[in-house]
Amino acid sequence: MSKDYDSARAQFADWGVDTDAALATLSTIPISVHCWQGDDVRGFEKRSGTSGGGIQATGNHPGRARNPDELRADLDFAFAQIPGKHRLNLHACYLDTHESPDRDQIAYHHFTPWVDWAKDKGLGLDFNPTFFAHAKADDNLTLSHPDAGIRDFWIEHGKRCREIAAQMGRELGTAAVNNIWVPDGSKDTPVDRMAARRRLETSLDTMMADKLPKSELIDAVESKLFGIGVESMTVGSHEFYLGYAIRKGTALCLDMGHFHPTESVADKLSSVALSVEDILLHVSRPVRWDSDHVILLNDDLIAMAQELVFADLLPRTRIGLDFFDATISRTAAWVIGVRNMQKALLRAFLLPQDKLKAAENALDFTTRLILTEEARDLPFAAIWAEHCNRASVPVGQGLLAKLQGYQDRVAARG
């Protein structure tokens, strides 16, 4: 324990904050790291379609993972720079097999190398059906497609993904979140939104008809405002999925990039939590739209973490990241993003929550403002450094050297 931490701990104690308790709580919160940052959302299958739904990674930074082994090596390095034990979020297109199954033919054995790796590393796994980058999704319609044959193809894909995710959860002893996002929508103004949404609802019902143990599988549904090619109408809107999650008992996924730029996703948390049991967060940074930039320790992220902590939502919220930037080191992006999410949570834990809530309940907004602003000057950096030191991961210049050294080693990948 450093002298800096001793001094900082005493200063926080003066405000009624127990830094040791904050660090202990932070160490228990897993963050699901998204595999698709490591290879620009390409996956490891033969493709026959475009990405769709506005999914696009820009840039061509050297060192992209070209196969599952390289991706796992990158993840091993990234996890070694991040305090705590976390999870990996796999998309269905990241299968690890010599076979070439179509999406409606994938099975658990196509992913067993990932499960074996996760067991060895002590990690949990989450999963996602891949409803894009396929010939049967090239018109940006899948589960809501007017063609029943195409709908049936994607329904079967979704069923298989649920079974795969549930077996992952069973094998690893921790429930896998299987998150459903589809790119379905219309570039120009449709005349019959209702028909598309009824088809989507029926397809989802069919796909999730088999009840699987929640100890193994948590179903989640994810909305989006719009994307390239679906600018005028997204079938799976926020209102659609909010209603669906309430009626059907699924988790609701809130992606920070999937709303209008003036909306606060942090503000939505307490509202949806009154009606849905489980929440999945996809933490991202939209700049102009759902552009999936690496998250910064900015006001939006800090507000999100504070809402999770102050509203006591962490026990029923799964936190996952969702960004992909190929203009910078992909491994560094993972490390920066996860650590920033942890820093935001730690800042929330280090606020004098009882004093702030008491002032607010007393309508003493002056005290609330003073407390909020003065807390910004407390020595947070020393607490974060202690957290990293206890986990034997680098900070500051040491982290920079580690990230640059690894990038130099993988830069020669073609």
Side-chain angles (χ1 to χ4, degrees):
M1 189 179 301
S2 69
K3 291 181 179 179
D4 286 343
Y5 178 71
D6 276 342
S7 174
R9 180 172 60 176
Q11 292 180 64
F12 277 98
D14 287 343
W15 291 81
V17 176
D18 183 340
T19 59
D20 287 327
L23 293 180
T25 303
L26 181 62
S27 67
T28 67
I29 300 171
I31 295 170
S32 198
V33 179
H34 53 309
C35 71
W36 51 95
Q37 164 60 28
D39 80 326
D40 312 335
V41 208
R42 297 193 183 199
F44 302 126
E45 60 179 4
K46 293 180 180 179
R47 293 195 175 192
S48 58
T50 56
S51 289
I55 295 172
Q56 180 178 342
T58 55
N60 190 29
H61 201 77
R64 178 182 64 81
R66 299 163 297 184
N67 55 59
D69 287 337
E70 289 183 348
L71 185 58
R72 283 190 285 267
D74 290 349
L75 286 160
D76 285 340
F77 168 77
F79 280 123
Q81 318 312 315
I82 299 166
K85 279 291 185 181
H86 299 285
R87 306 176 67 86
L88 178 68
N89 195 7
L90 272 177
H91 242 286
C93 60
Y94 285 80
L95 67 177
D96 186 356
T97 177
H98 295 298
E99 300 175 21
S100 299
D102 206 345
R103 298 274 176 85
D104 64 341
Q105 299 169 335
I106 61 171
Y108 175 76
H109 72 270
H110 297 131
F111 298 89
T112 50
W114 285 108
V115 178
D116 293 341
W117 171 81
K119 280 183 180 178
D120 182 60
K121 303 298 179 181
L123 305 171
L125 289 178
D126 297 310
F127 205 65
N128 309 261
T130 305
F131 290 99
F132 54 86
H134 192 280
K136 287 186 169 63
D138 275 354
D139 51 13
N140 282 329
L141 291 170
T142 60
L143 294 178
S144 70
H145 203 290
D147 186 325
I150 291 179
R151 292 200 306 276
D152 288 344
F153 174 89
W154 290 114
I155 289 169
E156 181 62 23
H157 174 64
K159 287 181 176 179
R160 287 171 175 259
C161 287
R162 293 184 73 237
E163 292 167 357
I164 292 166
Q167 191 160 351
M168 287 176 171
R170 185 161 58 251
E171 290 291 328
L172 296 172
T174 174
V177 176
N178 185 61
N179 184 51
I180 299 162
W181 173 81
V182 298
D184 296 36
S186 175
K187 184 172 183 64
D188 215 334
T189 306
V191 298
D192 193 357
R193 292 175 169 85
M194 180 62 81
R197 286 175 171 143
R198 287 194 187 281
R199 289 193 294 267
L200 176 56
E201 180 179 46
T202 300
S203 294
L204 289 168
D205 286 349
T206 304
M207 197 172 79
M208 292 188 278
D210 290 341
K211 301 304 179 185
L212 298 171
K214 194 172 177 181
S215 60
E216 300 173 359
L217 173 74
I218 297 174
D219 290 301
V221 290
E222 178 181 0
S223 68
K224 191 168 184 176
L225 180 62
F226 81 100
I228 296 174
V230 290
E231 292 90 345
S232 295
M233 189 272 289
T234 297
V235 183
S237 65
H238 174 60
E239 292 77 10
F240 174 90
Y241 279 126
L242 176 60
Y244 190 89
I246 293 170
R247 294 194 308 277
K248 309 295 182 175
T250 69
L252 181 69
C253 177
L254 300 176
D255 186 303
M256 292 181 72
H258 287 191
F259 295 89
H260 192 279
T262 61
E263 291 185 273
S264 168
V265 180
D267 180 66
K268 298 180 185 297
L269 284 169
S270 57
S271 294
V272 302
L274 295 173
S275 300
V276 299
E277 182 177 352
D278 295 298
I279 298 171
L280 171 64
L281 279 182
H282 273 190
V283 185
S284 183
R285 176 168 57 103
V287 173
R288 291 290 179 267
W289 64 294
D290 182 33
S291 48
D292 291 302
H293 287 63
V294 181
I295 56 174
L296 304 177
L297 188 60
N298 59 13
D299 288 345
D300 290 338
L301 190 64
I302 290 170
M304 176 74 77
Q306 184 173 325
E307 188 70 13
L308 287 171
V309 172
F310 277 46
D312 194 26
L313 294 177
L314 283 169
R316 54 193 180 108
T317 301
R318 298 293 192 101
I319 302 173
L321 304 187
D322 188 359
F323 52 76
F324 33 96
D325 187 346
T327 68
I328 63 175
S329 166
R330 296 168 183 82
T331 49
W334 270 325
V335 175
I336 294 165
V338 179
R339 287 168 63 119
N340 276 342
M341 185 68 241
Q342 291 180 300
K343 288 179 181 179
L345 289 167
L346 181 57
R347 283 184 177 272
F349 291 137
L350 293 174
L351 287 171
Q353 184 177 160
D354 292 342
K355 288 182 171 63
L356 284 164
K357 286 186 173 181
E360 184 167 281
N361 288 335
L363 305 184
D364 183 357
F365 304 136
T366 302
T367 297
R368 183 185 65 183
L369 183 59
I370 293 170
L371 287 169
T372 300
E373 295 308 300
E374 288 300 306
R376 295 177 187 271
D377 297 328
L378 292 173
F380 165 82
I383 310 302
W384 170 252
E386 177 67 16
H387 184 56
C388 292
N389 289 336
R390 292 181 183 185
S392 299
V393 302
V395 292
Q397 296 289 344
L399 177 64
L400 179 61
K402 285 275 191 179
L403 297 179
Q404 289 179 335
Y406 189 81
Q407 177 57 36
D408 290 343
R409 293 197 295 275
V410 302
R413 292 174 181 169

